[in-house]
Amino acid sequence: LLKVLSHIDSILRSPRAPPLIYRRSKGPVQNYIKENGQECGFEHLPLTVEMWADQLMALKDLHRSLRKLSLELVPWHTADPQDNRESVRVEDLQFIVDAILEEIENKEKNSQTPPLPTLFAIVSHFQKLFDVNSLNGVYPRMNEVYTKLGEMTNAMRNLHELLELDSSAPPTVVVDTVGKLCDIINENVTEQVQQLLGTQDVHSIIDKLEEYECFFPPFQALIQDLLCLLEIRNMDDILPTVRNLK
């Protein structure tokens, strides 16, 4: 027994023991003498062991409380390697506390949700911009705006490629380029019409059109009569049919 008590006393005196656990006895008669003649007080050992036992029991209670808190805050951290063990170590408690602290820090970093008045102001502003009368119409209008925006983005991308413009060119540049292209096309069409009608004067073009308007209706009626008379369908068959009749 003396050997066991000496071993316990050496543990209490070791640097690893908490500084407030070991207290040298002050009673002059309650000290036992070891074999080497050094003083060794054992009267405080039962109290210390009782305190340790209480701390171990409290450690289990603290572990259960931390487990409940962990299930509330981080329910996905369900795997606890100490669930099936009777003993609880400080490392187990530290693991749970670290998991909870990490989750709280992540929430603080990722939590950028604006307050409710700000969200209400954003929704109201959207309703004013896009003429939405009720909250039920916000989501459909959002989808509509998103669809239209996608169509416009694709159209602008295609115009940039067709017009050989840089992708960073603003819409005003695209519109100006399309306008210039339309002007060039209109000029070419005017020149082609003038060449076709053989005149460079607008009044002459009008006169030519009036002549054609006077000529083509009777010509068309004549052709239709010939087709019916000769019982044919194509205008190219008129001459061969007339030659056969001759």
Side-chain angles (χ1 to χ4, degrees):
L1 179 60
L2 183 62
K3 186 177 180 179
V4 173
L5 293 176
S6 299
H7 182 64
I8 295 175
D9 189 69
S10 64
I11 294 176
L12 294 177
R13 291 172 178 268
S14 68
R16 297 179 58 187
L20 297 179
I21 287 181
Y22 175 74
R23 292 180 298 177
R24 183 181 297 275
S25 174
K26 297 180 181 180
V29 198
Q30 298 178 1
N31 291 337
Y32 294 91
I33 305 300
K34 293 185 176 180
E35 295 179 358
N36 55 8
Q38 292 181 354
E39 180 185 39
C40 179
F42 296 132
E43 74 281 356
H44 68 284
L45 293 185
L47 296 176
T48 303
V49 173
E50 289 178 2
M51 183 187 68
W52 282 1
D54 293 339
Q55 292 297 316
L56 289 176
M57 292 301 298
L59 201 64
K60 292 182 179 180
D61 295 337
L62 180 59
H63 180 261
R64 284 193 294 268
S65 300
L66 287 177
R67 285 288 298 152
K68 292 180 181 178
L69 181 62
S70 176
L71 291 175
E72 290 292 333
L73 297 179
V74 284
W76 47 91
H77 288 284
T78 55
D80 189 347
Q82 300 299 326
D83 280 345
N84 298 324
R85 296 186 184 181
E86 295 182 358
S87 62
V88 179
R89 300 177 303 177
V90 176
E91 291 82 353
D92 305 331
L93 306 181
Q94 188 65 44
F95 175 79
I96 298 175
V97 172
D98 290 342
I100 295 175
L101 289 177
E102 182 180 359
E103 181 63 24
I104 292 175
E105 290 177 358
N106 291 335
K107 283 186 176 180
E108 290 178 353
K109 291 179 181 178
N110 299 329
S111 178
Q112 298 180 354
T113 304
L116 188 59
T118 303
L119 295 176
F120 181 76
I122 292 174
V123 174
S124 300
H125 188 62
F126 180 88
Q127 289 181 270
K128 291 179 181 179
L129 288 178
F130 298 99
D131 297 329
V132 183
N133 297 325
S134 64
L135 291 177
N136 294 331
V138 170
Y139 280 110
R141 186 57 58 87
M142 281 185 176
N143 295 332
E144 182 182 352
V145 171
Y146 178 79
T147 302
K148 294 295 183 182
L149 179 62
E151 293 175 355
M152 293 181 62
T153 302
N154 293 332
M156 292 298 296
R157 185 185 301 112
N158 294 332
L159 286 174
H160 279 92
E161 293 178 357
L162 291 174
L163 300 175
E164 297 181 355
L165 296 174
D166 187 77
S167 59
S168 61
T172 53
V173 176
V174 176
V175 173
D176 293 340
T177 306
V178 172
K180 293 177 181 178
L181 184 61
C182 291
D183 293 338
I184 294 174
I185 293 175
N186 291 333
E187 291 177 359
N188 292 335
V189 170
T190 303
E191 292 177 358
Q192 292 176 1
V193 172
Q194 292 175 351
Q195 293 176 1
L196 177 64
L197 299 178
T199 178
Q200 301 295 326
D201 187 8
V202 176
H203 296 288
S204 300
I205 294 175
I206 295 175
D207 295 338
K208 291 286 185 181
L209 290 175
E210 290 178 352
E211 292 177 2
Y212 288 136
E213 186 177 358
C214 295
F215 171 76
F216 275 107
F219 178 76
Q220 184 179 8
L222 175 62
I223 295 299
Q224 291 294 332
D225 293 340
L226 287 175
L227 292 176
C228 293
L229 182 62
L230 299 175
E231 296 181 354
I232 56 178
R233 295 183 178 180
N234 297 323
M235 189 172 60
D236 296 336
D237 297 332
I238 294 177
L239 290 178
T241 305
V242 172
R243 287 195 185 99
N244 293 332
L245 292 175
K246 184 179 178 181

